[in-house]
Amino acid sequence: MSDRGSRHSLSLWFQRVVAAFFLTGQVFLHILQGRINRRNTLEQMNMVGPESMAIALITAGFVGMVFTIQVAREFIYYGATTTIGGVLSLSLTRELAPVLTAVVIAGRVGSAFAAEIGTMRVTEQLDALYMLRTDPIDYLVVPRVIACGLMLPILTGLSLFVGMAGGLVISSSLYAINPTIFLNSVQNFTQLWDVFACLFKSLVFGVIIAIIGCSWGLTTTGGAKGVGESTTTAVVTSLLAIFISNFFLSWLMFQGTGDTALG
């Protein structure tokens, strides 16, 4: 029974992945056709953005401070004090800020999407939408995809700023590094392309989180237990998708030898 249950769960997961790809195509087609519920989109933007801001910024601030603590003492030992700010900046812009912000949003927002739509599915509220001649993709999915795609880059940009501020505070207070040296290092190391890559990654991650959360919700069965399972697997799948897509995006954007300044 255990093996049979595992095979069934794996088969269901693959079916949901395929459904998510089809849902992605439908969402972009509906957006191109202008089938956007503006009221729902604004409501979802508020949920993804302002209501998630505190936890995202707190996470970024402490990540920036911890990273600086781990790096500064070693760099000071090797006489590379002038590179601490730049290394933190590159780490945050290229990886830490977009990935960690996406992880936070996947746990908070992606799970909420799966639970909300999954509950509507098992309580036959989606059938009621069809009876009212309302397409659930237009009414539920498209607003969530747009909200995540727009708000996650904004949250990531704020997280980047807060993470840098946390690193600056730690470097100046604990290691007596002049803030001017820190900021000059950031300026020398960070290029406009790094910021663009950071925001583009966030946009992709936001779409992934929304699509997976909504797709898992739409395919929920089995009552309250099914809603719980859909919510859990949606978050896990979102995290896997974020890490896998991050690898390919980094591989495409940062191949070859870098030209970052070392002074």
Side-chain angles (χ1 to χ4, degrees):
M1 291 294 292
S2 178
D3 291 341
R4 184 180 301 175
S6 299
R7 287 196 298 269
H8 174 73
S9 298
L10 187 60
S11 174
L12 178 60
W13 185 82
F14 277 112
Q15 291 175 18
R16 283 176 153 175
V17 170
V18 173
F21 278 106
F22 280 107
L23 181 63
T24 302
Q26 289 179 291
V27 166
F28 282 105
L29 179 61
H30 287 210
I31 292 175
L32 291 175
Q33 293 174 345
R35 296 163 60 177
I36 301 171
N37 189 306
R38 291 173 175 79
R39 178 180 177 182
N40 283 359
T41 301
L42 292 175
E43 290 178 357
Q44 296 304 320
M45 289 175 66
N46 179 63
M47 175 185 175
V48 176
E51 293 185 12
S52 304
M53 186 178 299
I55 185 172
L57 297 187
I58 291 172
T59 301
F62 279 98
V63 166
M65 290 189 286
V66 169
F67 186 90
T68 304
I69 289 174
Q70 297 292 345
V71 168
R73 62 190 299 268
E74 305 299 335
F75 277 38
I76 292 173
Y77 177 79
Y78 288 105
T81 304
T82 57
T83 64
I84 293 174
V87 170
L88 173 63
S89 175
L90 289 181
S91 300
L92 285 173
T93 52
R94 293 184 179 183
E95 296 299 329
L96 294 179
V99 171
L100 291 180
T101 304
V103 168
V104 170
I105 297 302
R108 185 188 182 279
V109 176
S111 60
F113 288 172
E116 183 178 358
I117 297 178
T119 301
M120 296 179 69
R121 176 72 176 181
V122 299
T123 57
E124 299 181 353
Q125 294 181 51
L126 296 183
D127 296 333
L129 288 177
Y130 281 117
M131 292 181 65
L132 294 172
R133 296 183 179 179
T134 301
D135 190 339
I137 295 178
D138 295 340
Y139 189 75
L140 298 173
V141 181
V142 171
R144 286 165 169 79
V145 173
I146 293 175
C148 280
L150 292 179
M151 297 309 297
L152 196 55
I154 296 175
L155 287 176
T156 301
L158 294 174
S159 297
L160 175 61
F161 177 80
V162 171
M164 292 301 303
L168 177 61
V169 169
I170 292 298
S171 65
S172 60
S173 61
L174 294 186
Y175 300 100
I177 299 173
N178 191 310
T180 302
I181 295 176
F182 184 94
L183 294 175
N184 285 339
S185 177
V186 172
Q187 184 177 4
N188 290 335
F189 273 69
T190 309
Q191 300 177 358
L192 185 61
W193 171 254
D194 297 317
V195 178
F196 170 79
C198 173
L199 299 181
F200 181 74
K201 278 187 176 184
S202 298
L203 187 151
V204 174
F205 295 159
V207 172
I208 288 173
I209 292 167
I211 288 291
I212 291 177
C214 294
S215 180
W216 260 243
L218 290 171
T219 55
T220 298
T221 56
K225 181 180 179 181
V227 172
E229 291 176 349
S230 292
T231 303
T232 302
T233 54
V235 173
V236 173
T237 305
S238 295
L239 296 180
L240 287 174
I242 289 169
F243 296 140
I244 293 171
S245 62
N246 179 60
F247 166 78
F248 287 105
L249 289 172
S250 298
W251 180 65
L252 290 172
M253 292 178 174
F254 301 108
Q255 289 189 66
T257 303
D259 56 355
T260 299
L262 294 175

